[in-house]
Amino acid sequence: STWGRHQRILIASTMQRSKKTVRASVIVPAYKEGANVRPLVTRLFAALDSRKTSQFNKDNVECIFVDDNSRDGSEDEVHRLANEGYPVRIIVRTTERGLSSAVLRGFAEANGDLLLCMDADLQHPPEKVPELLEALDADSTEFVIGTRYGEGVEIDKDWPLHRQIISKTARLMARPLTPLSDPMTGFFGIRKDVLARGQNINNVGFKICLELYAKCRCRRFAEVPFSFGVRVHGESKLTGAVIVKYIQQLKELYNDQMPWFLPALFVFLLVAVFIFFYLAKKVLMG
């Protein structure tokens, strides 16, 4: 299976360390995000360098773009950044597509034991990466997320209302599966040894954070609030097909994690409808 291949690569990459000791790998799935490559990389490593108390810096953090054959200059830009001394590389996929599989491919080929995922569109501020890595590096933490719903966090006023409604609805639908405040986020991290215990990972769809949290049986997690910005360059990947795939993914997760939930919900709704019509009839008949 595709996940089985990812697991074999994951084990191999654990054994093959780079010349420098890489502690953390930042994975950036991308498609047609060429204009965002340079600002993301420069801001990321500037943030690491400026945080003097952090254990993470340019010498032990790598950045890996996983690009779905954009052909928009992303590959050339990454090579230019690498030549300038940034620890960045790019994997260009020509036979696979999709965000979740891109994230898993990046995680599998990463050298770090701490794996962090972030979007390429700069809506996830690179300046928050050091804080997420430090939270994930804590002794008992298995999983970390950047949350848009933390205390004092404001959603950008220019973020479309329909996107906010979709996000909140999707979050509510997943609530029984996870205690995470923002399971829809694409800004998250997991330890490599925790990832390795995952079974039957679904590599289709966009909500790989929720998938990994559930399938890797994570319990100890941390959350880092961040303000979600609007896209600067490129186009949104949210489509009707993506929403349908998310609903299919939720169904599969409920069947896997809580096989009793959907039948119980169906019975509950039937009972609720019966009670509603019964009371309505009583009222109409006086």
Side-chain angles (χ1 to χ4, degrees):
S1 67
T2 302
W3 174 238
R5 185 171 72 253
H6 284 319
Q7 283 187 308
R8 289 192 292 273
I9 297 173
L10 179 66
I11 293 169
S13 68
T14 303
M15 300 172 63
Q16 296 175 349
R17 307 296 293 179
S18 61
K19 292 181 181 179
K20 293 182 180 179
T21 302
V22 176
R23 295 192 58 210
S25 301
V26 180
I27 309 303
V28 188
Y31 181 68
K32 301 293 185 182
E33 299 284 2
N36 294 323
V37 169
R38 178 169 288 273
L40 187 152
V41 172
T42 54
R43 285 172 59 184
L44 167 62
F45 287 104
L48 289 167
D49 288 343
S50 66
R51 199 173 178 94
K52 301 303 181 184
T53 58
S54 174
Q55 301 180 42
F56 300 99
N57 52 58
K58 190 184 291 187
D59 292 330
N60 59 22
V61 176
E62 65 177 352
C63 179
I64 305 173
F65 285 85
V66 183
D67 182 85
D68 283 357
N69 203 26
S70 298
R71 298 184 180 182
D72 64 345
S74 295
E75 191 173 3
D76 292 337
E77 190 65 77
V78 169
H79 291 157
R80 280 191 288 269
L81 287 161
N83 289 333
E84 293 170 22
Y86 289 99
V88 59
R89 53 192 168 104
I90 187 168
I91 300 166
V92 179
R93 306 192 306 168
T94 57
T95 59
E96 285 186 276
R97 292 289 185 276
L99 185 140
S100 291
S101 61
V103 173
L104 292 174
R105 173 69 181 276
F107 282 175
E109 298 203 17
N111 289 311
D113 291 325
L114 305 179
L115 308 173
L116 188 71
C117 174
M118 66 183 299
D119 289 350
D121 57 15
L122 299 177
Q123 289 180 306
H124 298 155
E127 291 75 18
K128 281 289 182 178
V129 168
E131 199 172 340
L132 265 76
L133 289 178
E134 289 165 14
L136 185 58
D137 193 40
D139 289 340
S140 62
T141 306
E142 298 175 319
F143 202 87
V144 65
I145 66 166
T147 177
R148 297 164 288 184
Y149 301 101
E151 186 177 350
V153 173
E154 295 183 359
I155 301 294
D156 194 294
K157 61 181 176 59
D158 293 323
W159 201 37
L161 178 61
H162 74 278
R163 290 293 303 274
Q164 296 183 45
I165 293 172
I166 290 172
S167 176
K168 290 180 179 179
T169 302
R171 175 178 166 230
L172 181 64
M173 291 169 66
R175 190 61 183 170
L177 288 167
T178 170
L180 299 175
S181 68
D182 192 2
M184 302 300 103
T185 186
F187 200 12
F188 70 93
I190 187 171
R191 288 178 176 269
K192 182 174 283 188
D193 59 342
V194 175
L195 175 64
R197 72 191 184 202
Q199 298 292 324
N200 301 316
I201 303 295
N202 183 354
N203 67 349
V204 178
F206 272 60
K207 299 311 173 187
I208 188 65
C209 171
L210 174 62
E211 180 79 15
L212 291 178
Y213 183 88
K215 294 288 183 67
C216 295
R217 305 183 304 281
C218 299
R219 294 294 178 268
R220 299 184 298 274
F221 66 92
E223 298 191 341
V224 176
F226 78 98
S227 296
F228 190 66
V230 295
R231 172 183 285 274
V232 179
H233 300 289
E235 298 179 356
S236 172
K237 310 301 188 294
L238 181 66
T239 63
V242 169
I243 295 173
V244 171
K245 285 181 180 178
Y246 171 67
I247 294 172
Q248 293 172 339
Q249 180 186 17
L250 272 187
K251 179 182 176 183
E252 188 267 334
L253 278 174
Y254 274 114
N255 286 335
D256 180 76
Q257 303 290 310
M258 304 168 66
W260 53 267
F261 182 81
L262 292 180
L265 179 62
F266 179 72
V267 171
F268 172 79
L269 291 175
L270 279 180
V271 172
V273 169
F274 174 80
I275 293 173
F276 172 80
F277 281 109
Y278 175 78
L279 294 176
K281 183 178 178 180
K282 294 280 285 185
V283 170
L284 290 174
M285 294 179 65

